[in-house]
Amino acid sequence: MVILTMNGVRVQAEEGSTLLEVARFYGIDIPTLCYHDELTPYGACRLCMVEVDDGRRTRLVASCLYLVREGIKVKTHTERVMKGRKLILELLIARCPNSKTLQDLASKMGLDKVRFKMENKDCILCGLCLRMCAEQMGSGAIGFVGRGQKREVVTPFREASEICRNCGACMYICPVVETQCRGIKSPGELCNSCLIITPQCSEKYGQVMCTLDSCGACVEKEKKIV
Ligand code: FES
């Protein structure tokens, strides 16, 4: 067992566990986008960043990758951390403005504007789809190509893959190619309509409907208010 401090409280953690796992075990909410319990952590989005003081210096680290160490002091919601997370989210929303997952995170984190030029992409390069395909579906039909701005997820040689079984697992796990936010009216706008209502579809279909099509309750509500 390793003893460390998390938000001023001494906690115990199993050797080899990550800061994110420890935080979640103790009920501390840290936002993530590229992390999934059943997949190898990849550290792409950095949204899970926390502040770690290891006795020599204090720095921001990705909690989904950083392993616990004896005596370190971890802070999960300092001003520096929150600023960093908001900046990352702002950049991601500028890239994929209609992602409901990103819009919901913005609402929860109190992000109310995006200062960057809007694009209209459908991928935040989190790599969840690749890991899902390779690790859970045992296929490995897609991968990253290119660097920087040109980085993207494709099949080998951009051709229909012979090993892809069209299982849809890559789409299922993608935080962007799911229900699109329908409440945005102008570029840069952040919507939190669905967080303040109870979507009608959840009563009837549970979570299933929300991954297939938005129930539109947010839009309906706005019409009534107008
Ligand atoms: S969740 Fe840790 S880097 Fe994305």
Side-chain angles (χ1 to χ4, degrees):
M1 281 290 184
V2 175
I3 308 277
L4 64 148
T5 308
M6 197 163 266
N7 294 342
V9 178
R10 261 167 66 91
V11 297
Q12 279 191 343
E14 264 180 49
E15 217 156 312
S17 50
T18 63
L19 293 182
L20 180 65
E21 287 166 338
V22 178
R24 289 195 168 166
F25 179 79
Y26 285 100
I28 300 168
D29 184 30
I30 294 180
T32 58
L33 272 172
C34 69
Y35 177 82
H36 190 283
D37 286 347
E38 302 302 325
L39 300 175
T40 311
Y42 182 60
C45 73
R46 316 309 273 192
L47 205 65
C48 66
M49 68 170 72
V50 295
E51 210 172 279
V52 171
D53 175 0
D54 61 8
R56 286 179 302 146
R57 59 185 174 153
T58 304
R59 63 196 174 114
L60 295 176
V61 301
S63 64
C64 65
L65 291 178
Y66 197 97
L67 300 183
V68 291
R69 286 198 217 153
E70 188 70 36
I72 57 170
K73 294 187 179 116
V74 184
K75 289 187 182 156
T76 60
H77 287 77
T78 60
E79 200 182 329
R80 188 180 171 204
V81 166
M82 296 310 288
K83 253 185 165 171
R85 284 184 193 152
K86 279 187 184 174
L87 178 62
I88 288 169
L89 192 55
E90 221 183 309
L91 288 164
L92 292 175
I93 292 180
R95 188 179 163 90
C96 302
N98 294 319
S99 161
K100 184 171 160 355
T101 305
L102 300 182
Q103 289 278 342
D104 286 353
L105 270 172
S107 299
K108 280 182 198 154
M109 286 168 53
L111 178 66
D112 52 14
K113 65 173 185 293
V114 174
R115 297 162 293 171
F116 304 108
K117 189 170 161 252
M118 290 290 181
E119 298 173 68
N120 200 11
K121 307 235 181 197
D122 54 11
C123 176
I124 54 168
L125 302 172
C126 67
L128 277 173
C129 54
L130 320 183
R131 285 172 284 148
M132 179 66 145
C133 185
E135 297 174 19
Q136 293 292 326
M137 310 320 292
S139 183
I142 45 178
F144 278 129
V145 292
R147 290 169 177 229
Q149 290 274 347
K150 297 206 172 126
R151 195 162 171 80
E152 58 182 321
V153 176
V154 292
T155 52
F157 307 108
R158 299 175 192 278
E159 286 175 6
S161 167
E162 284 172 12
I163 52 174
C164 172
R165 299 189 295 273
N166 288 321
C167 65
C170 52
M171 303 286 279
Y172 172 78
I173 203 162
C174 175
V176 173
V177 185
E178 26 96 86
T179 313
Q180 299 282 297
C181 176
R182 295 211 240 153
I184 308 169
K185 291 187 199 62
S186 57
E189 189 178 328
L190 294 173
C191 172
N192 67 358
S193 304
C194 58
L195 291 185
I196 52 173
I197 56 162
T198 309
Q200 299 142 9
C201 60
S202 59
E203 279 168 31
K204 209 165 161 190
Y205 304 101
Q207 288 299 320
V208 180
M209 190 67 182
C210 292
T211 59
L212 296 174
D213 189 16
S214 156
C215 66
C218 50
V219 182
E220 287 305 314
K221 182 176 180 193
E222 274 182 26
K223 271 192 214 151
K224 275 180 207 153
I225 292 171
V226 174

